[in-house]
Amino acid sequence: MTTLYARELEIAQLAVQRAAILTKRVFLEKAKGTVSKDDASPVTIGDFGAQALIIAALRAHFPHDAIVAEEEAAQLRADAGLRDLIWGLVRETKLEDVAAEGLLGGGVRDVEDLMEVLDRGRSEGGRIGRVWTIDPIDGTKGFLRGGQYAIALALLEDGDVKVGVLGCPNLPVDDAAPLAAEVGAEGEDGMGVVFSAVVGQGATSRPLGAGGLAEGKRIQMREVKEMAGASFCESVESGHSNQSEAAQIAQKLGITKPSVRMDSQAKYGSIARGAGDIYLRLPTSKTYQEKIWDHAAGDLIVREAGGQVTDTKGQRLDFGVGRTLASNSGVIAAPAAVHGRVLEVVQEVLGLN
Ligand SMILES: Nc1ncnc2c1ncn2[C@@H]1O[C@H](COP(=O)(O)O)[C@@H](O)[C@H]1OP(=O)(O)O
Ligand SMILES: [Mg+2]
Ligand SMILES: [Mg+2]
Ligand SMILES: [Mg+2]
């Protein structure tokens, strides 16, 4: 018997694992330590490199699927030096596990092909058919500070998330490790985890570094018995989420612990495995529209782990309207049993009811 989306899941996991090899190398060689000779930002190099590797794998296995990816090749066309640098990295990056690399495949032929691959990510998305969405480095600020970031990949079908994969190089492998803002050193043993979910099949975690085809371990949100013991997380960036409103909400809910601030969709993965309980993302402006690649994988992983994810209006995130979540406002993610209570207080504090 073949399980639904088994192949999509396997390819997505391996593609994310391979892309993480590139981002980790870029961090070690370009962001940390010695000053690099080139003046391109390590984020730019990592973004393009990781996106190219993921799209190349999708092109090889699912050539007819549409792709909505964050980065565009235009900037690279005008910069031959940067292009060659990225091409060199992409060409060299392989999964350590030879069998896994063979299975994943999806090479990039040359520099011109690199541009072509990157441009495959320009789909407008929408409510029809199969659409992959990619954030090659989610949480660029976290990436640069050696903090949390994620490589995010999800498959939408007719606007619904069917498969979600999040690679988090700087989160501990151990699902029981408490939620913490600080990070272990990159490359340290026990760091790096991949969260995955398939609709209707639950959510799992497995080590990112294992490189191969390890079985995932089932993850579940923690049961919140009383709010006093609950922990919530939010963005590090006060420009991405209103932290003072979040503090008021937490206080009204009776949460006593201070928030854990971390970058990227690592927040979704962390609450999905019960390292934390609630994720609040409260709009800071009326005009900013959240991007689908910033939420699709995390939304499914949390829901498949027993959570509920809505916006501040109480509506499910709608990934079928295009490249952005144009009809939503903010994100409230919590265990299903307490989500209603959290939402009530969010709406009270934001004056939405
Ligand atoms: N004004 C904003 N409000 C909410 N999210 C934003 C805003 N500006 C950028 N972002 C996005 O938030 C994501 C990071 O979230 P977090 O703060 O939770 O780590 C990034 O993908 C970032 O996009 P970008 O990659 O374009 O910078
Ligand atoms: Mg992002
Ligand atoms: Mg990004
Ligand atoms: Mg960005």
Side-chain angles (χ1 to χ4, degrees), residues 70 138 235 239-240 263-264 267 281 288 290 294:
E70 184 180 2
D138 178 40
S235 177
H240 293 178
D263 299 285
S264 85
K267 293 186 278 295
R281 188 175 192 85
Y288 183 77
E290 297 284 346
D294 282 327

Side-chain angles (χ1 to χ4, degrees), residues 43 47 51 70-71 134-140 150 293-294:
V43 167
D47 273 335
Q51 179 168 314
E70 184 180 2
E71 312 301 335
I134 306 170
D135 193 338
I137 295 182
D138 178 40
T140 48
W293 53 79
D294 282 327

Side-chain angles (χ1 to χ4, degrees), residues 26-44:
V26 169
F27 178 78
L28 287 173
E29 291 177 6
K30 314 237 176 249
K32 206 178 152 193
T34 54
V35 182
S36 61
K37 283 183 218 76
D38 48 83
D39 52 11
S41 143
V43 167
T44 307

Side-chain angles (χ1 to χ4, degrees), residues 171-180 190-191 222 262 269-271 273-276:
L171 276 183
V173 174
D174 182 6
D175 291 327
L179 194 62
M191 298 306 281
R222 188 163 60 188
M262 56 164 76
S270 294
I271 66 167
R273 64 173 170 180

Side-chain angles (χ1 to χ4, degrees), residues 323-346:
R323 290 175 67 92
T324 70
L325 294 170
S327 60
N328 294 114
S329 169
V331 179
I332 311 299
V338 298
H339 183 277
R341 173 70 190 135
V342 175
L343 181 63
E344 202 176 275
V345 174
V346 165

Side-chain angles (χ1 to χ4, degrees), residues 205-335:
S205 80
R206 75 179 192 185
L208 177 72
L213 308 154
E215 274 292 302
K217 277 193 299 204
R218 195 63 181 258
I219 55 170
Q220 274 290 314
M221 293 194 86
R222 188 163 60 188
E223 189 189 345
V224 175
K225 296 210 179 73
E226 44 190 276
M227 283 293 181
S231 63
F232 84 97
C233 54
E234 62 182 344
S235 177
V236 177
E237 301 296 319
S238 56
H240 293 178
S241 182
N242 191 317
Q243 297 171 341
S244 63
E245 283 171 352
Q248 290 172 54
I249 291 160
Q251 196 189 14
K252 279 204 170 187
L253 281 167
I255 294 175
T256 53
K257 294 182 207 165
S259 72
V260 177
R261 290 178 180 165
M262 56 164 76
D263 299 285
S264 85
Q265 287 177 72
K267 293 186 278 295
Y268 283 111
S270 294
I271 66 167
R273 64 173 170 180
D277 301 301
I278 296 165
Y279 167 22
L280 299 176
R281 188 175 192 85
L282 307 169
T284 54
S285 87
K286 285 202 159 54
T287 49
Y288 183 77
Q289 294 182 349
E290 297 284 346
K291 310 297 188 288
I292 62 170
W293 53 79
D294 282 327
H295 300 280
D299 170 81
L300 184 68
I301 290 165
V302 165
R303 288 187 294 110
E304 285 296 326
Q308 193 158 330
V309 184
T310 68
D311 69 359
T312 57
K313 297 175 284 188
Q315 278 155 6
R316 284 272 303 275
L317 304 187
D318 185 355
F319 295 96
V321 285
R323 290 175 67 92
T324 70
L325 294 170
S327 60
N328 294 114
S329 169
V331 179
I332 311 299

